[in-house]
Amino acid sequence: MAFKVKTISDLRLMFHRNERPIYFISATNFNLLGIDQWVNRFRFISYIDCFDGRHPNVFVPQETPHDEFTSIEDINNYMLQHKDVIDFIERRGGSPAATFLMFDEKTEALAKELGMEVWFPPAKLRQRCDNKMETVRIGNKAGVASVPNALEKVSSFANLMEIAERNGLGKHLVLQSAFGDSGHTTFFISNEDDFNKHKDDICKDPEIKIMKRINCRGATLEACATQSGTLVGPMLTEVVGASELTPYKGGWCGNEVFPGSFSEAVRAKVREMTERFGNQLIEEGYRGYFDLDFLIDQDGGEVYLGELNPRVCGASPMTNHAAFAYADAPLFLFHLLEFSGVPFDLNVSEINERWAQPHFIDSWSQVVMKYTEQHVDQVTHAPGTGIYRMSEDGSVSFQRFDYNRQAIDSEREAFFLRITGPGDYRYEGADLGILITRGRSMDDNFKLNLRARDWIRGIKQYYAGRPIVTTEHEAAPEPGAFKIL
């Protein structure tokens, strides 16, 4: 389109009239749920059929033999070599562009073979920025402080204590590996017994993040680094380690967005830190969508940088459906604009100031439901994607199929996106689905409230499975045994 984007109206018009095929290729469409309603010719290519073939903009290829998947990258590489996917892309023609949740250099090469342009920074750069050690260093350059820490090789418990004493970190520590989900690669160490439980994971790394343990509350926030500056979305609370949702003590399992979730002083501080960090990412060569986790010290009031996710992530559906997105445009549209090649000059400061106003934030929550039992079975019945309703007694019933979370009428209704369906295997940590509701899912102490627990129990009742029998030479398959959201 031969014009320069100067306003939000220009941006909306540009994507309303878009004729270039744009794809989100991943295990599911969860991370960019609803973006197809904003962007003409946007389609999802998914491995898992969450909608039983009923979503008009989701394409799911037929299953063909493949090696066992160990990552989302494996799934994407499988799909980019799948005849059904190749035919689908070729039939739609044009000059296709691809977006992903996760991808590697093989994904980039396969996309290039198909004539697809990848609208994200290179995989190699994303991998470097994703390293938790590198996040600390980027933050330091930007003047965005992390929790007091040391980045060093650890060889023993005595060595760890020496590093902690030398850096004034105290005796109660939190250690993190360079990569991985926080539920698996974060270690709380107070004594040698704690250390020995995780010794192999800690000592194998050439460098590990060693942090002072603080009494903190977590938050997450998404942003987009562009040539006009860094756009900053709303702060979200995090649901972490809820036993009804996840078997992992420190595992992320949901978010809330609502006005007043944090003080204005904290929100202003986080916005400023995010802008500085985003502008430093541009200096590092990174541009586009990213997510930052923050830690708010409940004792001293300090705000610290936590982690960087250089991608869309599990919080993205919340950000892209907040009130500001409907007033202006979803944050992800600015990412697409950055990579589209269309010239633009936006007043980012004015946009950020407007989005910071409380009335641009409404109240929603999402919880990610994992299988928490320690055995494996095969699903015989599963709840379908759609709208569910809760009665006064807390019981839950299916109302109707839908793929639009905005179809939720009140706090008595919820949208469930099914991940694990009939024929799939349930195992500890498997993603069952995502439940999205209006209103909060936690109380003021940031524990799941009664309504959320009723919803979780009500949805889980629709699952049924049968035991599986394996032989010594035939292990039960574990599809999705890695994080797919």
Side-chain angles (χ1 to χ4, degrees):
M1 191 172 291
F3 69 85
K4 186 174 185 177
V5 173
K6 296 182 179 179
T7 67
I8 299 295
S9 295
D10 293 340
L11 176 69
R12 292 168 65 125
L13 177 61
M14 170 189 162
F15 284 113
H16 175 71
R17 298 188 61 185
N18 173 65
E19 290 298 326
R20 184 172 187 177
I22 305 173
Y23 300 94
F24 177 63
I25 303 170
S26 194
T28 76
N29 74 328
F30 165 68
N31 304 90
L32 292 182
L33 195 67
I35 292 297
D36 55 314
Q37 297 174 38
W38 292 86
V39 182
N40 187 46
R41 303 211 74 200
F42 191 98
R43 296 292 187 271
F44 301 102
I45 298 177
S46 301
Y47 174 69
I48 299 171
D49 187 359
C50 303
F51 304 93
D52 297 318
R54 300 171 73 181
H55 193 304
N57 293 326
V58 173
F59 177 78
V60 180
Q62 290 189 6
E63 184 82 8
T64 60
H66 57 77
D67 294 335
E68 183 179 352
F69 298 139
T70 62
S71 66
I72 303 174
E73 291 91 335
D74 286 350
I75 291 176
N76 290 337
N77 294 339
Y78 156 81
M79 290 199 294
L80 287 177
Q81 298 173 86
H82 196 297
K83 184 179 185 303
D84 290 353
V85 172
I86 295 170
D87 289 347
F88 177 70
I89 293 170
E90 289 181 349
R91 278 197 306 272
R92 297 191 71 229
S95 178
T99 62
F100 302 92
L101 173 61
M102 303 291 287
F103 62 93
D104 56 22
E105 291 176 80
K106 180 178 179 180
T107 318
E108 292 172 325
L110 290 169
K112 186 176 181 180
E113 288 178 16
L114 294 176
M116 302 182 79
E117 187 177 345
V118 177
W119 280 10
F120 262 105
K124 187 174 181 180
L125 175 61
R126 291 214 318 174
Q127 180 84 349
R128 178 174 75 83
C129 293
D130 205 15
N131 183 319
K132 293 181 178 63
M133 319 303 148
E134 192 65 18
T135 298
V136 172
R137 295 183 177 108
I138 294 171
N140 289 343
K141 291 180 192 176
V144 177
S146 299
V147 174
N149 67 86
L151 309 177
E152 297 193 27
K153 167 74 175 174
V154 173
S155 58
S156 65
F157 178 71
N159 175 230
L160 175 64
M161 291 296 100
E162 185 274 322
I163 295 171
E165 183 175 1
R166 172 161 35 91
N167 290 277
L169 304 179
K171 296 184 181 298
H172 300 286
L173 306 170
V174 181
L175 276 60
Q176 283 190 316
S177 300
F179 301 103
D181 181 16
S182 61
H184 301 273
T185 56
T186 298
F187 314 110
F188 297 86
I189 309 297
S190 293
N191 52 55
E192 192 162 6
D193 285 343
D194 292 340
F195 180 85
N196 288 335
K197 291 175 187 175
H198 308 289
K199 180 179 178 180
D200 292 343
D201 290 319
I202 293 168
C203 295
K204 71 180 181 182
D205 285 357
E207 189 178 46
I208 200 158
K209 183 179 178 183
I210 306 161
M211 293 177 285
K212 177 181 179 180
R213 193 183 306 183
I214 61 173
N215 174 27
C216 65
R217 183 175 152 203
T220 195
L221 177 149
E222 296 188 308
C224 187
T226 76
Q227 58 193 266
S228 289
T230 299
L231 293 118
V232 180
M235 286 183 71
L236 281 65
T237 66
E238 293 191 310
V239 186
V240 177
S243 59
E244 297 91 339
L245 295 169
T246 178
Y248 310 123
K249 180 180 179 181
W252 166 82
C253 48
N255 300 93
E256 300 175 312
V257 58
F258 63 95
S261 55
F262 300 90
S263 70
E264 175 51 37
V266 167
R267 290 193 292 123
K269 176 70 172 175
V270 166
R271 286 196 302 272
E272 184 225 354
M273 293 169 75
T274 303
E275 285 192 58
R276 288 209 306 265
F277 194 95
N279 294 339
Q280 181 61 42
L281 281 177
I282 290 285
E283 294 295 317
E284 303 289 325
Y286 184 93
R287 58 197 178 109
Y289 208 97
F290 67 95
D291 169 86
L292 289 179
D293 290 341
F294 289 92
L295 302 173
I296 297 99
D297 188 343
Q298 297 297 282
D299 298 328
E302 291 294 326
V303 179
Y304 295 109
L305 172 65
E307 298 180 16
L308 164 68
N309 293 301
R311 65 181 75 88
V312 294
C313 67
S316 300
M318 299 291 284
T319 298
N320 286 299
H321 284 275
F324 82 85
Y326 289 91
D328 284 341
L331 185 64
F332 192 70
L333 262 62
F334 296 88
H335 173 94
L336 295 179
L337 175 64
E338 176 69 20
F339 286 88
S340 68
V342 174
F344 66 93
D345 183 13
L346 295 169
N347 188 336
V348 167
S349 296
E350 187 274 332
I351 294 171
N352 283 340
E353 185 176 340
R354 184 166 67 252
W355 288 359
Q357 303 305 310
H359 62 273
F360 275 85
I361 304 170
D362 48 357
S363 183
W364 289 83
S365 68
Q366 66 177 18
V367 293
V368 178
M369 299 169 57
K370 294 182 182 290
Y371 190 57
T372 56
E373 304 297 323
Q374 293 186 345
H375 67 273
V376 179
D377 65 12
Q378 187 171 26
V379 175
T380 56
H381 187 271
T385 292
I387 305 298
Y388 289 74
R389 185 165 182 81
M390 181 183 291
S391 300
E392 291 293 334
D393 63 0
S395 60
V396 171
S397 59
F398 177 76
Q399 288 295 296
R400 64 193 183 277
F401 169 80
D402 210 307
Y403 52 83
N404 183 3
R405 55 166 267 175
Q406 291 302 115
I408 301 171
D409 181 60
S410 69
E411 291 192 15
R412 282 287 176 192
E413 291 190 341
F415 172 74
F416 179 69
L417 178 69
R418 188 194 69 215
I419 303 297
T420 296
D424 292 336
Y425 291 86
R426 292 190 299 181
Y427 51 89
E428 187 179 26
D431 291 301
L432 299 179
I434 301 97
L435 185 74
I436 300 173
T437 61
R438 294 183 184 270
R440 296 195 60 189
S441 60
M442 294 191 289
D443 58 27
D444 290 339
N445 294 317
F446 293 89
K447 304 294 183 184
L448 288 178
N449 59 32
L450 177 61
R451 185 175 72 104
R453 295 198 304 272
D454 283 343
W455 273 117
I456 294 163
R457 183 176 59 251
I459 294 294
K460 281 187 174 181
Q461 74 175 348
Y462 284 93
Y463 271 101
R466 62 170 176 246
I468 58 174
V469 178
T470 62
T471 69
E472 183 179 351
H473 303 290
E474 183 186 10
E478 296 185 348
F482 46 89
K483 184 176 179 180
I484 66 169
L485 303 175

